[in-house]
Amino acid sequence: MELLKCEVLSDLIEGFPFGYMVLIRGDLGMGKTLLVKLLAKSVLNNYPLLYVTFDDNPESVVDDFKNFSDRLFIIDGFTISDQRKVKSPNVIDFITEFDPGQVINKVGQAVYSKGVRGLIIDSINDLLVNVDPRGLIAMLKQLKALSRSRNLVSFIVAHVTTEDVDNLLNTVEYVFDGVIEMEFDENMANIGIPVRRLRIKRMKGISHSMNWFYFTTAKGTIVPIDINEIKNMLKNTLESLGVQIQGG
């Protein structure tokens, strides 16, 4: 089985199988787009990549991958309501409406014509709120079938912005081969320390850790942090102030 290696996640999983479609979900500001760009660069090291951008302008995407411009192909869903379309050789098509059929057709044409081995969609939130759930599931199943038939590794980003979106994602999760969750550690957040973490919730048929991976971001990458060290530092600080920690 051919695997896509990703150094920042190497402690959690050996790699992501080509032919799989993976959901990356979490609240805003968790680092999902950064993670997916690191995964995209892992693809671009060896293969062409199709990047469908709904959340960021194509110029920013091109700039992020300027060292791989000959392997990067973009479908622009960001300027859907803007007549000023980006004129870049990397932009090969445009999404003109939030229609699952159009998304499938344009992605499929690009995959076949450009011979890509990786697919990024960042994000599907515009589709989540504009498309009937049955149409959304049908689209996701077709993307999954495309990943299988063309041996793509596909990463789909979704921002959990509301309870309704969260519930909808829970409903469609079964379509994906794997799910990566990203969130704040609730216990640490409750005491005013925002610490981000991620885990591989599911990855069909692939050995992986389900432990939470605590991290921060620096210099365009994900950096692991030792949560136990932070907890011990906090405990020592509180005790030095005369605050007794239960069980300490």
Side-chain angles (χ1 to χ4, degrees):
M1 179 180 290
E2 185 182 6
L3 299 176
L4 175 72
K5 311 284 187 177
C6 182
E7 185 177 350
V8 297
L9 299 182
S10 60
D11 288 341
L12 300 179
I13 190 169
E14 181 182 0
F16 299 93
F18 283 82
Y20 271 30
M21 185 174 75
V22 179
L23 173 66
I24 302 175
R25 59 177 290 176
D27 294 338
L28 292 170
M30 291 299 102
K32 297 183 300 300
T33 295
L34 175 57
L35 174 61
V36 85
K37 286 181 177 178
L38 293 172
L39 291 163
K41 287 179 180 177
S42 296
V43 175
L44 286 164
N45 282 329
N46 296 292
Y47 304 108
L49 171 79
L50 176 63
Y51 201 113
V52 185
T53 176
F54 285 99
D55 292 357
D56 203 356
N57 63 68
E59 296 103 317
S60 295
V61 176
V62 170
D63 188 59
D64 286 330
F65 303 112
K66 55 189 174 184
N67 293 331
F68 305 97
S69 60
D70 59 327
R71 294 179 180 174
L72 174 66
F73 303 100
I74 298 172
I75 294 179
D76 176 10
F78 181 75
T79 56
I80 190 168
S81 59
D82 191 341
Q83 298 302 312
R84 297 168 299 169
K85 301 298 185 182
V86 175
K87 296 179 180 178
S88 166
N90 298 99
V91 178
I92 61 172
D93 210 338
F94 300 89
I95 301 296
T96 60
E97 58 183 317
F98 298 123
D99 172 51
Q102 183 186 110
V103 172
I104 286 294
N105 287 337
K106 289 180 179 287
V107 169
Q109 289 172 11
V111 167
Y112 281 92
S113 66
K114 302 301 182 182
V116 302
R117 293 293 308 281
L119 168 65
I120 303 290
I121 301 181
D122 186 14
S123 69
I124 59 167
N125 278 68
D126 287 332
L127 296 166
L128 289 173
V129 300
N130 286 286
V131 174
D132 177 270
R134 289 173 296 181
L136 178 67
I137 290 173
M139 182 194 75
L140 291 173
K141 286 186 174 181
Q142 290 179 72
L143 287 172
K144 183 177 179 178
L146 181 65
S147 299
R148 290 282 198 279
S149 65
R150 301 299 295 181
N151 202 27
L152 308 176
V153 58
S154 302
F155 297 98
I156 315 296
V157 179
H159 308 296
V160 182
T161 52
T162 66
E163 184 176 350
D164 287 343
V165 169
D166 188 35
N167 291 335
L168 182 54
L169 287 173
N170 290 338
T171 301
V172 303
E173 253 193 22
Y174 76 94
V175 178
F176 293 85
D177 298 295
V179 178
I180 299 174
E181 290 184 324
M182 304 180 75
E183 66 176 27
F184 281 121
D185 183 308
E186 185 176 354
N187 292 328
M188 298 297 288
N190 286 339
I191 59 176
I193 303 177
V195 179
R196 288 176 284 184
R197 64 184 187 176
L198 67 83
R199 68 167 178 165
I200 298 176
K201 179 180 179 182
R202 177 168 62 82
M203 196 64 57
K204 184 175 68 175
I206 298 296
S207 177
H208 65 279
S209 170
M210 291 185 63
N211 293 333
W212 286 106
F213 172 86
Y214 291 83
F215 69 95
T216 187
T217 58
K219 297 181 179 179
T221 192
I222 288 173
V223 181
I225 60 176
D226 187 336
I227 189 65
N228 291 320
E229 182 177 339
I230 292 177
K231 289 178 178 178
N232 288 333
M233 290 174 59
L234 176 63
K235 177 176 179 289
N236 293 336
T237 299
L238 292 174
E239 288 180 347
S240 72
L241 297 173
V243 179
Q244 295 299 314
I245 306 299
Q246 185 177 2

